Amino acid sequence: MHNMSGITKTESTPIEYFRADYKPSSYNISEIFMTFELDESNTVVTTKSIVIPQSTSAGDLVLNGEDIELLQVSVNGKILSPDSYTIDKLALRIN
């Protein structure tokens, strides 16, 4: 179970998000480019984004997503080491 802002998730119950749960991001994401590789057993999604912090104290970049198998994270063409980010069942957090 995961509890976020009073919302409980179990393995069979999807999380409900409401507009009131959101706050403005510390980042502008001006462009997103996505590529999908589909086959019968899995899907690989490659995403490239232009992400600009709104201030020097923007904090971690948090990208929501459920049960993602992460293959690689890179910033400005440089592959990040696993200690530069964390991933759990609900989000990727880049330090």
Side-chain angles (χ1 to χ4, degrees):
M1 279 194 166
H2 177 75
N3 193 328
M4 173 190 264
S5 301
I7 301 169
T8 302
K9 178 187 188 310
T10 62
E11 292 301 311
S12 61
T13 306
I15 296 176
E16 288 186 77
Y17 292 100
F18 299 96
R19 188 176 301 207
D21 295 330
Y22 288 92
K23 62 180 182 175
S25 175
S26 298
Y27 292 87
N28 268 341
I29 301 177
S30 61
E31 296 183 52
I32 297 176
F33 305 94
M34 300 179 85
T35 319
F36 296 85
E37 296 174 40
L38 308 172
D39 70 30
E40 292 180 17
S41 61
N42 64 37
T43 301
V44 175
V45 180
T46 302
T47 305
K48 293 182 181 185
S49 306
I50 297 176
V51 180
I52 303 166
Q54 302 247 16
S55 72
T56 56
S57 60
D60 294 349
L61 174 62
V62 179
L63 303 170
N64 294 330
E66 294 184 29
D67 296 322
I68 294 172
E69 178 185 347
L70 184 66
L71 302 179
Q72 176 180 302
V73 178
S74 63
V75 174
N76 295 331
K78 179 183 174 195
I79 297 174
L80 297 183
S81 66
D83 62 342
S84 299
Y85 59 87
T86 57
I87 187 164
D88 61 29
K89 287 187 154 224
L90 297 174
L92 167 64
R93 179 180 303 272
I94 301 172
N95 312 18

